[in-house]
Amino acid sequence: MQADEPIGKLYDGRMLRRLAVYLKPYKTSVAFTLLLVALHGLFDSLGPLLTRYAVDRYFTNASVAALPFALPADPYRGLAVLSIAYLSLVVLALLTEFGQKLLMNRTGQHAMFDLRRDLMAHLHRLDIAYFDRNPIGRVVTRVTSDVDMLNELFSSGFVAIFGDLLMLLWLLVILFSLSPGMTLIVLFATPLIVAAAMRFRTEVAGSNRRIRTAVARINAFLQEHINGIAIVQLFNREERSRRDFAKINLDHTAAYKESIHAYGWFYPVVEFLSMLALAGLLVYGGFSVPAGEASLGTVVAFFQYAIRFFRPIQDLSEKYNVLQAAAAAGERIFLLLDTQPAIQAPAQPQPIPADHTIAFENVWFAYNNEDWVLRDISFTIRPGETVAIVGHTGAGKTTLTNLLLRFYDVQRGHIRLGGIDIRQFRPGDLRALFSIVLQDPWLFTGDIRSNITLGTPGLTEVQIRQAAQRVNLLEFIDSLPAGLGEPVAERGANFSTGQKQLISFARALVHEPRVLILDEATSSVDTETELRIRDAQRELLAGRTAIVIAHRLSTIQSATRIMAFHKGQLHEAGTHAELIARRGIYWRLYELQYAAKPSGTNSALLSSESACEPSSF
C-alpha cells in the first residue's frame, strides 16, 4: 500500500487563504453573517449589566449609573422591566445566533460544492499516469472525506473565530469600565490558559495529519479488496485480508487516541483555571464590597462576565483544532489541485487535418526513467487500412495505442497524424477521431442507453439502435423488459462478459470514429459471441482505419498488414501469408496456438488451413 505521508507545514496561512477564496463568491452572505455575529456578541454581553443594575438599585440601594430607559421606583415593577429587557436581549442573541449559523452553514455547503466540482474537473484533466501512481481509494478520499473535513471550517470556523475575538473585545471594554482591579484578576489566569492551549495545539496537531493519512489508507484498502472480493474468497485470503486491514485500522485508532488524550486533559485544565479566577474574584469581592471599593452588583456581574470571558478563549483553542484538521485535509486537496497534467494542449493548436495517415517515427518510450518499453519504432498506417499488432505479453502493444491517444507523450521521436506531430493538437480533438474497445469492458451505473452514448448530445434513438444492430446486440436489447432503458448495475454486474463487450462495441460505433482500436476486444468473450462480432466486422470497418491488438491470431489473418513486436521492437511486418512464409516471430506464435493440431502440420498446411477459417480481420 503506497504511503500517504504528511507534507508541508502544519499551519500554512497561504493554504488557509486559498480556502478562503472559495468563500469569496458569497462575500455578501459572509458580510451579513459577520454583522449578525457582532450583534450577537453585543446582545450577549449586555445582560450582566442589567443584573448589576438590578442588584445595586433594588437590593442594596447602591448608586448606579443611569440606564438608557427610565425605571420605576417600585422594586417589583422595576425588576419586571429589567427582566423583560433581559429576556429581550436573550431573544435577540438567540435570533442573531440562529441567523448567522444558518447563513454560514448554507455558505459553507455552497463552498464545499464548488471545491468538489473543481476537484472533479481537475481529476478529468489529469494524466493517466497520475492514476497509475495513486490508489483510487486515496483519490476518493480527497473528494469526499477531506472536503468534509473542511465543512466546519467553512460553515463556522472563520466566522466563529471572528465572533470569539469580538466577544473578548466587548468583554474587556466592559470589564475595565466596571473595575480595573477585578479585570486584572480575570486576566491573571489568561496566560496560563494560553500556555495550556499552546501545549494542546502541539499535541493535537500531528494527530490530525495521522488521522487523515490513516483514513486515506483505509479507503484505498477497502476499494481494492472490495473490487477484488471474488479473488479474496477464491484463494481463501479472508483471514490475511482481515489482518492487513486490522493493522491499518489500528494506525487510525492510535491517531485518534492521541487526539482524545489531548482533549481529555485540555478541557479540565481550562475549567480548573477558570474556577481559580472565579475564586480570586470571590476573595476580592469579599474585601472590596464591605470597604465600599465595589458594589455587590458589580461583583455579581463580574462573575457572569468571567464565565463568558473564558468561554471564547476555550472556543478559540478548539477552533485552532478545526484549523489544524482543515490544514491536514487542505494541504492534500491543494496538492492534488496543484498537480499539473503533463499532457497539455499547445498554445496555438493545429486543426485536425483531412489526411488521417498515422506515422510513428523513431519512437522511444519508457514509463519509468530509461526502462524502455518501445525502442526506435517506425511504421505508417494509411487511411482505410486494418493493421494488426501481435506479440508476447509485455511487447509494448497496448503502449502503442496509449501513445497514439496521447495518454502519454513519447520521450524520443514523433507520432504524426497527417504529417503533423500529435502534440500540436488539442488532446480532446485528437481523441475524437478514435473509438476503442478494451479487453475488459467497463460499464457505468445507469442504463444501456447511457452506456452506449456516454452522454454525447445529438445521438438519436435510431442511431443507437443501428449501432446495436450492427454488432448483433439489438435482439438482446429488445428481449429485456426495459430495452435500452434496462438498468446497469455497478460495472455491469448484471450482464455477462460477452454482453458487456457487445455494449462496448456499440458504444464505439455509435460515435462514428475515423479510427477504430480493438485492444484484445474479443479475447474475453465466448466463441458464439466472437462469431457474432466477426459477422458484423466487415461492415463495421468499411471506410475506417482499424488497429487491432490480438492474441487470437485467427481473428487477424485477413488484416491489411500484421506487425509482430518483441521486447519493445518491431521485428517484422507483412500479410499473414508473408509472415508465415518468413518463419519468424509471427510464425512461432501461430505455431504455438495450433500446436494441438495433428503432427506433421507444416507452414503450408497452416496457411491453407487458415484460409478455410471464418472470415475475420
Side-chain angles (χ1 to χ4, degrees), residues 326-456:
E331 66 182 351
R332 290 175 170 81
I333 289 174
F334 287 118
L335 176 65
L336 171 56
L337 288 174
D338 291 339
T339 301
Q340 294 301 315
I343 308 300
Q344 298 278 1
Q348 296 180 336
Q350 297 289 324
I352 300 295
D355 179 11
H356 296 155
T357 300
I358 299 169
F360 280 64
E361 298 177 356
N362 307 111
V363 169
W364 291 70
F365 177 75
Y367 290 101
N368 297 306
N369 300 322
E370 293 191 359
D371 185 13
W372 299 110
V373 178
L374 297 178
R375 303 168 181 268
D376 197 22
I377 301 299
S378 297
F379 60 85
T380 300
I381 302 176
R382 294 176 178 81
E385 282 191 315
T386 297
V387 175
I389 301 172
V390 300
H392 294 289
T393 301
K397 304 184 297 297
T398 299
T399 299
L400 291 170
T401 60
N402 285 338
L403 295 176
L404 180 58
L405 294 169
R406 228 190 142 201
F407 291 146
Y408 302 88
D409 275 337
V410 300
Q411 281 92 357
R412 301 180 191 174
H414 301 274
I415 302 176
R416 301 186 187 277
L417 179 70
I420 303 174
D421 193 302
I422 62 173
R423 287 170 287 198
Q424 298 302 312
F425 306 124
R426 290 189 184 92
D429 293 343
L430 173 68
R431 293 166 189 164
L433 294 175
F434 298 86
S435 279
I436 186 169
V437 181
L438 300 172
Q439 178 178 1
D440 296 322
W442 185 276
L443 300 185
F444 297 92
T445 303
D447 56 27
I448 294 178
R449 179 184 291 101
S450 64
N451 271 279
I452 292 177
T453 64
L454 291 182
T456 302

Side-chain angles (χ1 to χ4, degrees), residues 494-505:
N494 53 332
F495 296 118
S496 69
T497 301
Q499 291 163 349
K500 289 188 289 185
Q501 194 64 290
L502 287 172
I503 294 174
S504 297
F505 264 90

Side-chain angles (χ1 to χ4, degrees), residues 593-615:
Q593 287 198 13
Y594 287 86
K597 290 188 178 294
S599 59
T601 303
N602 53 33
S603 59
L605 288 174
L606 289 173
S607 181
S608 62
E609 179 184 7
S610 65
C612 300
E613 294 186 352
S615 176

